[in-house]
mmCIF file of all heavy atoms in Angstrom:
data_model
loop_
_atom_site.group_PDB
_atom_site.id
_atom_site.type_symbol
_atom_site.label_atom_id
_atom_site.label_comp_id
_atom_site.label_asym_id
_atom_site.label_seq_id
_atom_site.Cartn_x
_atom_site.Cartn_y
_atom_site.Cartn_z
ATOM 1 N N ALA O 264 -7.021 -15.737 18.415
ATOM 2 C CA ALA O 264 -7.926 -14.605 18.622
ATOM 3 C C ALA O 264 -7.419 -13.715 19.754
ATOM 4 O O ALA O 264 -7.355 -12.484 19.617
ATOM 5 C CB ALA O 264 -9.327 -15.122 18.936
ATOM 6 N N LEU O 265 -7.005 -14.341 20.858
ATOM 7 C CA LEU O 265 -6.503 -13.555 21.995
ATOM 8 C C LEU O 265 -5.246 -12.780 21.600
ATOM 9 O O LEU O 265 -5.067 -11.623 21.972
ATOM 10 C CB LEU O 265 -6.199 -14.477 23.180
ATOM 11 C CG LEU O 265 -7.422 -15.095 23.862
ATOM 12 C CD1 LEU O 265 -6.980 -16.136 24.875
ATOM 13 C CD2 LEU O 265 -8.266 -14.027 24.525
ATOM 14 N N ASN O 266 -4.368 -13.437 20.814
ATOM 15 C CA ASN O 266 -3.133 -12.761 20.426
ATOM 16 C C ASN O 266 -3.382 -11.644 19.434
ATOM 17 O O ASN O 266 -2.643 -10.660 19.426
ATOM 18 C CB ASN O 266 -2.141 -13.764 19.859
ATOM 19 C CG ASN O 266 -1.291 -14.341 20.960
ATOM 20 O OD1 ASN O 266 -0.385 -13.675 21.431
ATOM 21 N ND2 ASN O 266 -1.622 -15.528 21.407
ATOM 22 N N THR O 267 -4.419 -11.794 18.603
ATOM 23 C CA THR O 267 -4.747 -10.704 17.681
ATOM 24 C C THR O 267 -5.240 -9.489 18.460
ATOM 25 O O THR O 267 -4.886 -8.347 18.155
ATOM 26 C CB THR O 267 -5.805 -11.161 16.672
ATOM 27 O OG1 THR O 267 -5.392 -12.397 16.126
ATOM 28 C CG2 THR O 267 -5.974 -10.168 15.569
ATOM 29 N N PHE O 268 -6.023 -9.751 19.511
ATOM 30 C CA PHE O 268 -6.446 -8.650 20.377
ATOM 31 C C PHE O 268 -5.223 -8.002 21.031
ATOM 32 O O PHE O 268 -5.089 -6.776 21.065
ATOM 33 C CB PHE O 268 -7.402 -9.172 21.452
ATOM 34 C CG PHE O 268 -7.902 -8.093 22.376
ATOM 35 C CD1 PHE O 268 -8.906 -7.237 21.976
ATOM 36 C CD2 PHE O 268 -7.350 -7.936 23.627
ATOM 37 C CE1 PHE O 268 -9.351 -6.232 22.804
ATOM 38 C CE2 PHE O 268 -7.780 -6.925 24.467
ATOM 39 C CZ PHE O 268 -8.786 -6.067 24.058
ATOM 40 N N ASN O 269 -4.308 -8.846 21.482
ATOM 41 C CA ASN O 269 -3.092 -8.361 22.118
ATOM 42 C C ASN O 269 -2.250 -7.533 21.151
ATOM 43 O O ASN O 269 -1.608 -6.560 21.540
ATOM 44 C CB ASN O 269 -2.293 -9.568 22.624
ATOM 45 C CG ASN O 269 -1.332 -9.183 23.707
ATOM 46 O OD1 ASN O 269 -1.390 -8.074 24.213
ATOM 47 N ND2 ASN O 269 -0.458 -10.095 24.058
ATOM 48 N N LEU O 270 -2.275 -7.916 19.874
ATOM 49 C CA LEU O 270 -1.543 -7.170 18.851
ATOM 50 C C LEU O 270 -2.022 -5.723 18.805
ATOM 51 O O LEU O 270 -1.219 -4.786 18.720
ATOM 52 C CB LEU O 270 -1.750 -7.846 17.497
ATOM 53 C CG LEU O 270 -1.103 -7.183 16.284
ATOM 54 C CD1 LEU O 270 0.380 -7.404 16.309
ATOM 55 C CD2 LEU O 270 -1.693 -7.724 15.008
ATOM 56 N N MET O 271 -3.348 -5.545 18.892
ATOM 57 C CA MET O 271 -3.927 -4.198 18.871
ATOM 58 C C MET O 271 -3.442 -3.386 20.069
ATOM 59 O O MET O 271 -2.986 -2.243 19.923
ATOM 60 C CB MET O 271 -5.439 -4.336 18.897
ATOM 61 C CG MET O 271 -6.202 -3.082 18.654
ATOM 62 S SD MET O 271 -7.937 -3.460 18.487
ATOM 63 C CE MET O 271 -8.376 -3.897 20.152
ATOM 64 N N ILE O 272 -3.501 -4.019 21.247
ATOM 65 C CA ILE O 272 -3.046 -3.320 22.452
ATOM 66 C C ILE O 272 -1.568 -2.965 22.332
ATOM 67 O O ILE O 272 -1.137 -1.854 22.658
ATOM 68 C CB ILE O 272 -3.266 -4.202 23.708
ATOM 69 C CG1 ILE O 272 -4.723 -4.629 23.815
ATOM 70 C CG2 ILE O 272 -2.812 -3.479 24.966
ATOM 71 C CD1 ILE O 272 -5.659 -3.565 24.224
ATOM 72 N N SER O 273 -0.756 -3.918 21.823
ATOM 73 C CA SER O 273 0.686 -3.642 21.773
ATOM 74 C C SER O 273 1.007 -2.578 20.729
ATOM 75 O O SER O 273 1.974 -1.833 20.893
ATOM 76 C CB SER O 273 1.479 -4.923 21.527
ATOM 77 O OG SER O 273 0.997 -5.606 20.432
ATOM 78 N N ASN O 274 0.184 -2.477 19.669
ATOM 79 C CA ASN O 274 0.378 -1.378 18.720
ATOM 80 C C ASN O 274 0.108 -0.039 19.382
ATOM 81 O O ASN O 274 0.820 0.942 19.137
ATOM 82 C CB ASN O 274 -0.540 -1.549 17.515
ATOM 83 C CG ASN O 274 0.068 -2.441 16.476
ATOM 84 O OD1 ASN O 274 1.296 -2.518 16.378
ATOM 85 N ND2 ASN O 274 -0.745 -3.126 15.716
ATOM 86 N N ILE O 275 -0.911 -0.005 20.239
ATOM 87 C CA ILE O 275 -1.189 1.240 20.970
ATOM 88 C C ILE O 275 -0.011 1.562 21.880
ATOM 89 O O ILE O 275 0.404 2.723 21.995
ATOM 90 C CB ILE O 275 -2.495 1.097 21.775
ATOM 91 C CG1 ILE O 275 -3.679 1.006 20.822
ATOM 92 C CG2 ILE O 275 -2.679 2.279 22.725
ATOM 93 C CD1 ILE O 275 -4.968 0.664 21.476
ATOM 94 N N MET O 276 0.582 0.516 22.490
ATOM 95 C CA MET O 276 1.730 0.733 23.368
ATOM 96 C C MET O 276 2.899 1.322 22.584
ATOM 97 O O MET O 276 3.613 2.206 23.069
ATOM 98 C CB MET O 276 2.173 -0.583 24.030
ATOM 99 C CG MET O 276 1.166 -1.184 24.953
ATOM 100 S SD MET O 276 0.867 -0.167 26.393
ATOM 101 C CE MET O 276 2.140 -0.750 27.477
ATOM 102 N N ILE O 277 3.114 0.846 21.349
ATOM 103 C CA ILE O 277 4.198 1.402 20.529
ATOM 104 C C ILE O 277 3.902 2.855 20.187
ATOM 105 O O ILE O 277 4.737 3.739 20.362
ATOM 106 C CB ILE O 277 4.363 0.594 19.226
ATOM 107 C CG1 ILE O 277 4.951 -0.774 19.511
ATOM 108 C CG2 ILE O 277 5.279 1.334 18.264
ATOM 109 C CD1 ILE O 277 5.139 -1.596 18.267
ATOM 110 N N MET O 278 2.692 3.098 19.713
ATOM 111 C CA MET O 278 2.391 4.428 19.185
ATOM 112 C C MET O 278 2.321 5.477 20.287
ATOM 113 O O MET O 278 2.726 6.621 20.088
ATOM 114 C CB MET O 278 1.079 4.383 18.404
ATOM 115 C CG MET O 278 1.241 3.700 17.060
ATOM 116 S SD MET O 278 -0.230 3.778 16.067
ATOM 117 C CE MET O 278 -0.977 2.221 16.436
ATOM 118 N N ASN O 279 1.799 5.107 21.468
ATOM 119 C CA ASN O 279 1.648 6.112 22.511
ATOM 120 C C ASN O 279 2.829 6.181 23.462
ATOM 121 O O ASN O 279 3.139 7.240 23.978
ATOM 122 C CB ASN O 279 0.372 5.851 23.323
ATOM 123 C CG ASN O 279 -0.857 6.275 22.559
ATOM 124 O OD1 ASN O 279 -0.742 6.885 21.507
ATOM 125 N ND2 ASN O 279 -2.014 5.944 23.073
ATOM 126 N N PHE O 280 3.464 5.029 23.744
ATOM 127 C CA PHE O 280 4.491 5.026 24.787
ATOM 128 C C PHE O 280 5.860 4.567 24.284
ATOM 129 O O PHE O 280 6.784 4.404 25.072
ATOM 130 C CB PHE O 280 4.046 4.136 25.953
ATOM 131 C CG PHE O 280 2.683 4.488 26.470
ATOM 132 C CD1 PHE O 280 1.613 3.636 26.266
ATOM 133 C CD2 PHE O 280 2.477 5.683 27.138
ATOM 134 C CE1 PHE O 280 0.343 3.970 26.720
ATOM 135 C CE2 PHE O 280 1.221 6.020 27.599
ATOM 136 C CZ PHE O 280 0.152 5.159 27.389
ATOM 137 N N LYS O 281 5.998 4.330 22.961
ATOM 138 C CA LYS O 281 7.243 3.822 22.393
ATOM 139 C C LYS O 281 7.744 2.577 23.128
ATOM 140 O O LYS O 281 8.946 2.402 23.358
ATOM 141 C CB LYS O 281 8.332 4.903 22.422
ATOM 142 C CG LYS O 281 8.006 6.060 21.517
ATOM 143 C CD LYS O 281 9.151 7.038 21.496
ATOM 144 C CE LYS O 281 8.813 8.191 20.564
ATOM 145 N NZ LYS O 281 9.840 9.227 20.594
ATOM 146 N N PHE O 282 6.793 1.739 23.543
ATOM 147 C CA PHE O 282 7.136 0.528 24.266
ATOM 148 C C PHE O 282 6.932 -0.637 23.316
ATOM 149 O O PHE O 282 5.807 -1.022 23.004
ATOM 150 C CB PHE O 282 6.222 0.390 25.490
ATOM 151 C CG PHE O 282 6.470 -0.854 26.292
ATOM 152 C CD1 PHE O 282 7.597 -0.972 27.091
ATOM 153 C CD2 PHE O 282 5.567 -1.910 26.249
ATOM 154 C CE1 PHE O 282 7.812 -2.119 27.829
ATOM 155 C CE2 PHE O 282 5.786 -3.061 26.986
ATOM 156 C CZ PHE O 282 6.906 -3.164 27.777
ATOM 157 N N ASN O 283 8.045 -1.230 22.771
ATOM 158 C CA ASN O 283 7.819 -2.246 21.743
ATOM 159 C C ASN O 283 8.130 -3.673 22.191
ATOM 160 O O ASN O 283 8.018 -4.597 21.396
ATOM 161 C CB ASN O 283 8.573 -1.894 20.455
ATOM 162 C CG ASN O 283 9.991 -1.488 20.726
ATOM 163 O OD1 ASN O 283 10.555 -1.900 21.746
ATOM 164 N ND2 ASN O 283 10.567 -0.707 19.847
ATOM 165 N N MET O 284 8.493 -3.889 23.448
ATOM 166 C CA MET O 284 8.721 -5.257 23.931
ATOM 167 C C MET O 284 7.465 -6.114 23.793
ATOM 168 O O MET O 284 7.506 -7.271 23.375
ATOM 169 C CB MET O 284 9.142 -5.239 25.403
ATOM 170 C CG MET O 284 10.638 -5.156 25.624
ATOM 171 S SD MET O 284 11.573 -6.244 24.561
ATOM 172 C CE MET O 284 11.285 -7.801 25.375
ATOM 173 N N MET O 285 6.315 -5.496 24.129
ATOM 174 C CA MET O 285 5.050 -6.217 24.089
ATOM 175 C C MET O 285 4.749 -6.687 22.670
ATOM 176 O O MET O 285 4.351 -7.832 22.448
ATOM 177 C CB MET O 285 3.947 -5.283 24.572
ATOM 178 C CG MET O 285 2.668 -5.958 24.948
ATOM 179 S SD MET O 285 1.631 -4.765 25.789
ATOM 180 C CE MET O 285 0.053 -5.497 25.508
ATOM 181 N N SER O 286 5.023 -5.793 21.703
ATOM 182 C CA SER O 286 4.761 -6.139 20.308
ATOM 183 C C SER O 286 5.681 -7.265 19.852
ATOM 184 O O SER O 286 5.244 -8.186 19.142
ATOM 185 C CB SER O 286 4.943 -4.914 19.443
ATOM 186 O OG SER O 286 4.724 -5.235 18.118
ATOM 187 N N LEU O 287 6.959 -7.209 20.270
ATOM 188 C CA LEU O 287 7.903 -8.251 19.854
ATOM 189 C C LEU O 287 7.470 -9.614 20.388
ATOM 190 O O LEU O 287 7.454 -10.613 19.654
ATOM 191 C CB LEU O 287 9.305 -7.915 20.349
ATOM 192 C CG LEU O 287 10.016 -6.797 19.591
ATOM 193 C CD1 LEU O 287 11.318 -6.442 20.278
ATOM 194 C CD2 LEU O 287 10.261 -7.225 18.151
ATOM 195 N N MET O 288 7.090 -9.642 21.688
ATOM 196 C CA MET O 288 6.642 -10.908 22.275
ATOM 197 C C MET O 288 5.383 -11.398 21.575
ATOM 198 O O MET O 288 5.209 -12.589 21.319
ATOM 199 C CB MET O 288 6.379 -10.732 23.768
ATOM 200 C CG MET O 288 7.666 -10.580 24.546
ATOM 201 S SD MET O 288 7.402 -10.101 26.240
ATOM 202 C CE MET O 288 6.708 -11.578 26.893
ATOM 203 N N ASN O 289 4.518 -10.440 21.238
ATOM 204 C CA ASN O 289 3.279 -10.795 20.562
ATOM 205 C C ASN O 289 3.548 -11.372 19.176
ATOM 206 O O ASN O 289 2.927 -12.359 18.768
ATOM 207 C CB ASN O 289 2.408 -9.549 20.473
ATOM 208 C CG ASN O 289 1.038 -9.856 19.946
ATOM 209 O OD1 ASN O 289 0.689 -9.446 18.855
ATOM 210 N ND2 ASN O 289 0.279 -10.623 20.694
ATOM 211 N N MET O 290 4.504 -10.763 18.449
ATOM 212 C CA MET O 290 4.857 -11.295 17.126
ATOM 213 C C MET O 290 5.373 -12.729 17.260
ATOM 214 O O MET O 290 5.019 -13.615 16.468
ATOM 215 C CB MET O 290 5.944 -10.436 16.462
ATOM 216 C CG MET O 290 5.485 -9.110 15.899
ATOM 217 S SD MET O 290 4.001 -9.217 14.944
ATOM 218 C CE MET O 290 4.617 -9.904 13.448
ATOM 219 N N PHE O 291 6.209 -12.951 18.290
ATOM 220 C CA PHE O 291 6.737 -14.297 18.530
ATOM 221 C C PHE O 291 5.587 -15.280 18.765
ATOM 222 O O PHE O 291 5.562 -16.374 18.188
ATOM 223 C CB PHE O 291 7.677 -14.255 19.745
ATOM 224 C CG PHE O 291 8.154 -15.597 20.180
ATOM 225 C CD1 PHE O 291 9.106 -16.284 19.442
ATOM 226 C CD2 PHE O 291 7.630 -16.194 21.315
ATOM 227 C CE1 PHE O 291 9.535 -17.534 19.835
ATOM 228 C CE2 PHE O 291 8.055 -17.444 21.720
ATOM 229 C CZ PHE O 291 9.008 -18.118 20.976
ATOM 230 N N MET O 292 4.607 -14.868 19.582
ATOM 231 C CA MET O 292 3.465 -15.736 19.872
ATOM 232 C C MET O 292 2.671 -16.032 18.603
ATOM 233 O O MET O 292 2.310 -17.174 18.325
ATOM 234 C CB MET O 292 2.534 -15.069 20.903
ATOM 235 C CG MET O 292 3.062 -15.030 22.294
ATOM 236 S SD MET O 292 3.319 -16.656 22.954
ATOM 237 C CE MET O 292 1.646 -17.155 23.247
ATOM 238 N N ILE O 293 2.408 -14.977 17.809
ATOM 239 C CA ILE O 293 1.586 -15.155 16.607
ATOM 240 C C ILE O 293 2.293 -16.087 15.619
ATOM 241 O O ILE O 293 1.671 -16.982 15.040
ATOM 242 C CB ILE O 293 1.266 -13.789 15.964
ATOM 243 C CG1 ILE O 293 0.188 -13.095 16.800
ATOM 244 C CG2 ILE O 293 0.806 -13.934 14.530
ATOM 245 C CD1 ILE O 293 -0.330 -11.831 16.221
ATOM 246 N N ILE O 294 3.620 -15.891 15.470
ATOM 247 C CA ILE O 294 4.358 -16.749 14.534
ATOM 248 C C ILE O 294 4.348 -18.193 15.042
ATOM 249 O O ILE O 294 4.122 -19.139 14.269
ATOM 250 C CB ILE O 294 5.794 -16.207 14.341
ATOM 251 C CG1 ILE O 294 5.732 -14.903 13.530
ATOM 252 C CG2 ILE O 294 6.662 -17.215 13.606
ATOM 253 C CD1 ILE O 294 7.014 -14.126 13.530
ATOM 254 N N SER O 295 4.545 -18.387 16.351
ATOM 255 C CA SER O 295 4.530 -19.755 16.890
ATOM 256 C C SER O 295 3.176 -20.418 16.672
ATOM 257 O O SER O 295 3.096 -21.573 16.234
ATOM 258 C CB SER O 295 4.822 -19.739 18.390
ATOM 259 O OG SER O 295 5.877 -18.916 18.673
ATOM 260 N N ILE O 296 2.096 -19.665 16.963
ATOM 261 C CA ILE O 296 0.764 -20.258 16.802
ATOM 262 C C ILE O 296 0.507 -20.593 15.336
ATOM 263 O O ILE O 296 -0.034 -21.658 15.022
ATOM 264 C CB ILE O 296 -0.318 -19.311 17.354
ATOM 265 C CG1 ILE O 296 -0.171 -19.163 18.868
ATOM 266 C CG2 ILE O 296 -1.711 -19.825 17.030
ATOM 267 C CD1 ILE O 296 -1.002 -18.052 19.446
ATOM 268 N N SER O 297 0.945 -19.676 14.428
ATOM 269 C CA SER O 297 0.741 -19.941 13.000
ATOM 270 C C SER O 297 1.448 -21.224 12.590
ATOM 271 O O SER O 297 0.868 -22.069 11.895
ATOM 272 C CB SER O 297 1.279 -18.784 12.167
ATOM 273 O OG SER O 297 0.717 -17.579 12.577
ATOM 274 N N ILE O 298 2.714 -21.350 13.036
ATOM 275 C CA ILE O 298 3.478 -22.546 12.653
ATOM 276 C C ILE O 298 2.772 -23.801 13.161
ATOM 277 O O ILE O 298 2.558 -24.753 12.404
ATOM 278 C CB ILE O 298 4.911 -22.460 13.217
ATOM 279 C CG1 ILE O 298 5.688 -21.372 12.467
ATOM 280 C CG2 ILE O 298 5.620 -23.796 13.092
ATOM 281 C CD1 ILE O 298 7.019 -21.044 13.111
ATOM 282 N N LEU O 299 2.350 -23.782 14.427
ATOM 283 C CA LEU O 299 1.738 -24.975 15.004
ATOM 284 C C LEU O 299 0.384 -25.280 14.363
ATOM 285 O O LEU O 299 0.047 -26.442 14.099
ATOM 286 C CB LEU O 299 1.582 -24.789 16.519
ATOM 287 C CG LEU O 299 2.913 -24.740 17.265
ATOM 288 C CD1 LEU O 299 2.707 -24.282 18.684
ATOM 289 C CD2 LEU O 299 3.572 -26.094 17.239
ATOM 290 N N TRP O 300 -0.378 -24.219 14.083
ATOM 291 C CA TRP O 300 -1.691 -24.426 13.472
ATOM 292 C C TRP O 300 -1.522 -25.040 12.084
ATOM 293 O O TRP O 300 -2.161 -26.030 11.737
ATOM 294 C CB TRP O 300 -2.438 -23.085 13.389
ATOM 295 C CG TRP O 300 -3.910 -23.196 13.087
ATOM 296 C CD1 TRP O 300 -4.563 -24.285 12.565
ATOM 297 C CD2 TRP O 300 -4.911 -22.196 13.285
ATOM 298 N NE1 TRP O 300 -5.884 -24.014 12.421
ATOM 299 C CE2 TRP O 300 -6.131 -22.740 12.864
ATOM 300 C CE3 TRP O 300 -4.890 -20.885 13.772
ATOM 301 C CZ2 TRP O 300 -7.331 -22.015 12.906
ATOM 302 C CZ3 TRP O 300 -6.076 -20.170 13.812
ATOM 303 C CH2 TRP O 300 -7.284 -20.737 13.392
ATOM 304 N N TRP O 301 -0.613 -24.468 11.290
ATOM 305 C CA TRP O 301 -0.433 -24.996 9.937
ATOM 306 C C TRP O 301 0.172 -26.399 9.957
ATOM 307 O O TRP O 301 -0.128 -27.222 9.097
ATOM 308 C CB TRP O 301 0.398 -24.022 9.088
ATOM 309 C CG TRP O 301 -0.469 -23.037 8.367
ATOM 310 C CD1 TRP O 301 -1.558 -23.352 7.622
ATOM 311 C CD2 TRP O 301 -0.356 -21.618 8.330
ATOM 312 N NE1 TRP O 301 -2.128 -22.198 7.113
ATOM 313 C CE2 TRP O 301 -1.412 -21.122 7.524
ATOM 314 C CE3 TRP O 301 0.557 -20.714 8.871
ATOM 315 C CZ2 TRP O 301 -1.600 -19.756 7.262
ATOM 316 C CZ3 TRP O 301 0.375 -19.352 8.599
ATOM 317 C CH2 TRP O 301 -0.692 -18.890 7.810
ATOM 318 N N ARG O 302 1.013 -26.658 10.970
ATOM 319 C CA ARG O 302 1.525 -28.027 11.132
ATOM 320 C C ARG O 302 0.355 -28.997 11.284
ATOM 321 O O ARG O 302 0.306 -30.055 10.655
ATOM 322 C CB ARG O 302 2.424 -28.083 12.372
ATOM 323 C CG ARG O 302 3.015 -29.443 12.649
ATOM 324 C CD ARG O 302 3.359 -29.594 14.105
ATOM 325 N NE ARG O 302 2.165 -29.553 14.955
ATOM 326 C CZ ARG O 302 2.166 -29.668 16.269
ATOM 327 N NH1 ARG O 302 3.297 -29.800 16.906
ATOM 328 N NH2 ARG O 302 1.049 -29.623 16.954
ATOM 329 N N ASP O 303 -0.637 -28.594 12.124
ATOM 330 C CA ASP O 303 -1.809 -29.458 12.320
ATOM 331 C C ASP O 303 -2.588 -29.645 11.023
ATOM 332 O O ASP O 303 -3.078 -30.743 10.739
ATOM 333 C CB ASP O 303 -2.726 -28.846 13.391
ATOM 334 C CG ASP O 303 -2.179 -29.087 14.788
ATOM 335 O OD1 ASP O 303 -1.073 -29.657 14.891
ATOM 336 O OD2 ASP O 303 -2.856 -28.696 15.765
#
Side-chain angles (χ1 to χ4, degrees):
Chain O
L265 290 172
N266 271 284
T267 311
F268 181 78
N269 201 10
L270 178 73
M271 190 172 71
I272 305 287
S273 52
N274 275 332
I275 292 171
M276 296 294 273
I277 289 180
M278 286 186 264
N279 284 352
F280 307 110
K281 294 184 179 175
F282 179 73
N283 47 25
M284 270 316 284
M285 196 169 157
S286 179
L287 286 173
M288 288 170 70
N289 187 248
M290 285 314 283
F291 173 74
M292 287 298 286
I293 284 186
I294 289 167
S295 315
I296 294 168
S297 306
I298 290 170
L299 293 169
W300 194 343
W301 270 310
R302 180 205 65 180
D303 283 4

